[in-house]
Amino acid sequence: MADSGATSAPKPSSSVKLVLLGEAAVGKSSLVMRFVNNDFQENKEPTIGAAFLTQKCNLPTRTIKFEIWDTAGQERFASLAPMYYRNAQAALVVYDITKASSLQKAQHWVAELQRQASPGIVIALVGNKFDLASANPASDTSTGGDDADATATAEEEEDVDGESDARKVPTKTAKAYADEEALLFFETSAKTGLNVAEVFTAIANAIPETSLKGPRGVGGQTNLGRQEDSARVNLTGANVQGPKEGCAC
Amino acid sequence: MSNGEGANGHARQTDENSLPSKSPLLTQHRLSDASDMDEVNLEEDQHSPPPTLPPKLPPRNPSGLQGFSGTMAPVNFPPPPAAPAEKPHTLPPPAPPTRKITSPFSWLSRGNTEKKVTSPPLPAVSPGHDRRNTNASMATIGSNPELMLSKIEDEGNGEGSTNRSSQSSLRDRFKLLRMREEAGITSLEEEHEGATSPGGALSGLVGRTASVGLGIGNPTSITDEKDEHVPHMSRGASSPGPGPLTKQPTINPNLAPGTAAGFTVGPAESAAPVDWDLWQSVVYEGPAAVARTSSEELNQAIASGIPQAIRGVVWQVLAQSKNEELEGVYKELVVRGTDKERVTMHLPGFGRGDHNGRANGTGKEKDSIASSASSVHSNQSTPASTAPTGSPTTLGDDHEAVAKLHAKLTAEKQKKVKEETAAISKLEKAIKRDLGARTSYSKYVMANGLQDGLFGLCKAYALFDEAVGYAQGMNFIVMPLLFNMPEEEAFCLLVRLMNKYGLRDLFINGMPGLHLHLYQFERLLEDFEPALYCHLNRRGVKPDLYATQWFLTLFAYRFPLQLVLRIYDLILSEGLEGAILKFGIVLMQKNAQTLLGMRDMSALTTFLKERLFDVYIDKTPSASSLLDSGFFGSTGGIDKEVYRADMLVQDACAVKVTPEMLKLYATEWREKQQVEKQREEHLESLEEKCRTLTMKVRSLEERAEKSDTEHVQMASELVRTKVENETLGDENESLKTRVEELQRIVEKQPEEVEAKLRTEMDTVMQKNIVVHNENRALEEQLADMEKELVETKMQWAEINSEHETLKQKWNNITHLMNSGK
């Protein structure tokens, strides 16, 4: 989008193809909807095939226009996935922190991406549904209209019983895996919006300058480093205060 | 004809008989020859009126009508909303009687004439209306539906026996529905005269109850229902919600607005009457027969929408899906993994009691259900194979063996139950998770009661066809079915859609059907709208991005229900492939200009998914559609638009997609796949080769490295030897010189020695000579001395002799002296 209008000096802008992968019902579409429309829907219908959306991400030195390909998560649709991650410069591999199997699936996707996708692809591992993990009984009741869904989702896991924390994937496990594979790592909540924008900002920053096909691909390399740093700070900060945020809303 | 059929015949017979007169006697009488009733009846249907039928028909209609109006009177209806005055004029008139002339089936037409006579309240139809005239212009519509229909028919023949019996129950239902429908119209008319409107609501409600209650040929359903009508109606009428709805005779307050519109919008606009006779012949003779005799009429009738009231029945007839065994399978599958299952399993008489000599129809049927269910268990999931293993074969079987087998099966089943429950609960979770607002059509009032059905159908199908399982997308397909028929029939229709219509290919692993249709769609788009194809291609908007959801959900994902139902009409009558591609193409054609004007990819994709059907919004709705929109407004405010569904269907039919084209593209796709596969294989083999070569290279490298090190060793050794050699050479040199010296010395020595020897010899010789000379002198001396000695000796001897002689003389003198003394 060259018409980033509002800014006085037009920043260099470039488009980035980003694909979302992950098991069914981990919240891929919800993440995108939160990022693009800042909106959240309970009981979203499953994505059939794929959806395409765009959203701009403003960095200090440039504007990145994300072309987001949101894919269907069900195993059955796996044969369609290569069409979507072909030529993608970034991938968001999403899992559900309340479902251990979804991390395995995410790892499969990461492996497949590393094997099949374009070599320089930036992969972010995202654990979604953070709101469920931090939920304690008190906050559950305070969520009002949402808690029906929260409990419903909690019931999906067999062993959840009375525990307030539905988390099944410890942050450490996923973080260790992400570090091992050199992935960006975030825990998000599409429902509360926690960390959602940060994921995309971090991806935007991690896209190497050279792989940008925008009109003018010049940007401050030093700035890039600084940005990434701040993102990292942000991440840890958010992680620390995560539970509080969950409570607050 | 087996007893099982007989039982069905029985059921149907009861239906038929209970209507005109509830006399148990008559029912009994009919029952007595019920065993071969089915066969006979079919013959009758097609050739000549049986003696008993014609008299039966006439009384039936009036009685139904009378019963209706009779029961209606005492019901307390709420005060009607103001009924628009123009309503009666826009009412779609019922079937024109002209059909009987063209129909070869005399008894049907006879029945119709009589019906017409006996039902005076039918609105007058313009007698001159000739469908054929209108059809002439439609002659080109529908490229080849007959072909597809007959194909489906042929495939269906294998299931003839079961179909026949189930078809008969559909027939009964159709009769009833038609009657009610027409009765509804009548009653409405009556109501209008009395300026009351709830008649519509009432008739709609009746339609609904009928379709629910008559689910399977339940022998008592009709009588029961008849009795229950009054309470039903009063309940429906007194509930405030649906009360104020509609003046349209067929609109059902419980139905989704879309479903109603699907019926009403079209006919109301074009004023095409509902051709009851045509539908009746479709139901009675099968779509293929009708397609042969009056295909254009059928095409047009389908194109202008199957009347909502009979849509469920007609769909099943078109698909020939009705199959009671399968319904039984459904009932079993749907409760699997729940507590109910165990209850039913232990229920005496269910799949058990029947072995104990109770060889009646129901028992056997359940048996075969159990067996087909077990074959489902064993992954033999093609319903076609399970379905026709009907009752006739198992009848003669040894009951003990069957019982044993069954017991074994149950034991196995129970063993499996535990493993299965886990899998099933996982499946259930997956399905439940997908029951979003849009999937469940929750915006429609009617959908409220159907959520369990949606869930059950998804679950049952997933269990029924394990190769497909539960795939996202089928949940969207199910709901439009459930709007029109009870669960178990919807299940049969779904199975039919999956297997006979090829929907299964879209859902099995790898989704080959989907990829095929996407390819066909792409090629067709290229043929029909090259500019648009090019435009979209350039923007990177491929069919797999937007058309995937069309095909996988049969357009139900985003499209308004009014259109979806009409799309289903065409799919069921024409076949899946052609219909969905036609609809896809026609939507692209209608939106070509708009799409060509869009450049942004996200705008394009959003439009393709969400707004494509907007071209069919009726912007200037006719009087009747205005009424509908009012109707829609009152039910939740979604679907406010009225869609010109007729036009959509007609446009779709007008798209010239021939089976040849589809076949061509299918083969093209297959070839492409083949090429792709070959390329992949080639690539794989190359990769394999590369891998082995790399290995080889690696081993060679290792060897090279080894020889390199060896070489280095050798070289260094060589250097060392060279150095050694040099030193040795030096040594050698010095040795050589020494040797030379020595040789020289050696060479010199003999001369010296000789010379020395010679000189020494010389001296020795000289010395020898001297010595020799000395020796000679000595020898001479010696000789001289010897001579001297001899001489001395001689002298000695002479002295001695002289001495002697002197001595003797001395002695003689001494003696003489001595003597001379």
Side-chain angles (χ1 to χ4, degrees), chain A residues 40 67 71 92 141 213:
Chain A
F40 180 74
E67 293 171 350
T71 65
L92 225 67
T141 48
K213 51 182 179 186

Side-chain angles (χ1 to χ4, degrees), chain B residues 1 11 114 121 260 291 353 430 453 455 470 725 768:
Chain B
M1 260 322 107
E114 273 158 344
F455 171 75
Y470 166 70
N725 210 9
N768 198 16

Side-chain angles (χ1 to χ4, degrees), chain A residues 37 43 58 85 88 95 104 106 114 129 172 184 199 226:
Chain A
N37 300 329
N43 286 330
N58 275 306
Y85 65 65
Y95 70 94
Q104 280 175 7
Q114 286 169 341
K129 308 198 186 174
K172 246 190 233 167
L184 298 169
V199 175
R226 189 179 57 79

Side-chain angles (χ1 to χ4, degrees), chain A:
Chain A
M1 279 282 133
D3 53 348
S4 46
T7 49
S8 52
K11 282 189 276 186
S13 91
S14 42
S15 53
V16 165
K17 180 176 172 183
L18 181 145
V19 63
L20 274 97
L21 298 166
E23 203 182 51
V26 295
K28 294 178 291 302
S29 303
S30 294
L31 274 175
V32 175
M33 194 189 261
R34 171 63 74 190
F35 177 59
V36 174
N37 300 329
N38 197 18
D39 189 15
F40 180 74
Q41 254 183 30
E42 303 280 353
N43 286 330
K44 230 176 140 341
E45 77 276 2
T47 308
I48 303 289
F52 177 82
L53 296 111
T54 56
Q55 173 70 306
K56 275 177 282 181
C57 187
N58 275 306
L59 301 182
T61 54
R62 55 183 174 158
T63 305
I64 297 242
K65 182 192 173 200
F66 279 115
E67 293 171 350
I68 303 167
W69 297 71
D70 176 21
T71 65
Q74 207 188 21
E75 184 66 43
R76 195 64 46 89
F77 294 87
S79 68
L80 296 166
M83 286 192 266
Y84 299 119
Y85 65 65
R86 190 178 301 146
N87 298 327
Q89 290 145 287
L92 225 67
V93 180
V94 188
Y95 70 94
D96 175 355
I97 61 167
T98 66
K99 199 173 175 206
S101 67
S102 66
L103 179 63
Q104 280 175 7
K105 185 71 202 161
Q107 290 171 340
H108 282 139
W109 279 122
V110 169
E112 181 165 342
L113 284 173
Q114 286 169 341
R115 201 172 57 243
Q116 312 267 32
S118 34
I121 190 165
V122 174
I123 306 176
L125 182 70
V126 173
N128 196 25
K129 308 198 186 174
F130 191 80
D131 49 299
L132 295 179
S134 57
N136 53 46
S139 79
D140 235 359
T141 48
S142 72
T143 46
D146 295 343
D147 73 3
D149 176 65
T151 46
T153 329
E155 272 163 13
E156 280 176 15
E157 294 301 321
E158 285 112 327
D159 326 309
V160 164
D161 48 64
E163 295 251 340
S164 57
D165 195 351
R167 179 189 280 276
K168 284 282 156 59
V169 181
T171 313
K172 246 190 233 167
T173 318
K175 175 81 177 133
Y177 169 71
D179 287 345
E180 192 181 307
E181 300 287 340
L183 316 172
L184 298 169
F185 174 68
F186 289 90
E187 285 193 342
T188 63
S189 166
K191 192 167 170 179
T192 65
L194 170 80
N195 261 347
V196 174
E198 284 80 354
V199 175
F200 288 91
T201 314
I203 288 178
N205 282 313
I207 300 282
E209 205 73 29
T210 47
S211 74
L212 292 178
K213 51 182 179 186
R216 271 174 295 165
V218 275
Q221 196 62 38
T222 48
N223 255 332
L224 194 76
R226 189 179 57 79
Q227 268 294 316
E228 227 167 318
D229 244 354
S230 72
R232 199 164 295 139
V233 168
N234 206 346
L235 161 68
T236 48
N239 262 346
V240 170
Q241 49 180 247
K244 270 186 220 156
E245 271 183 54
C247 291
C249 67

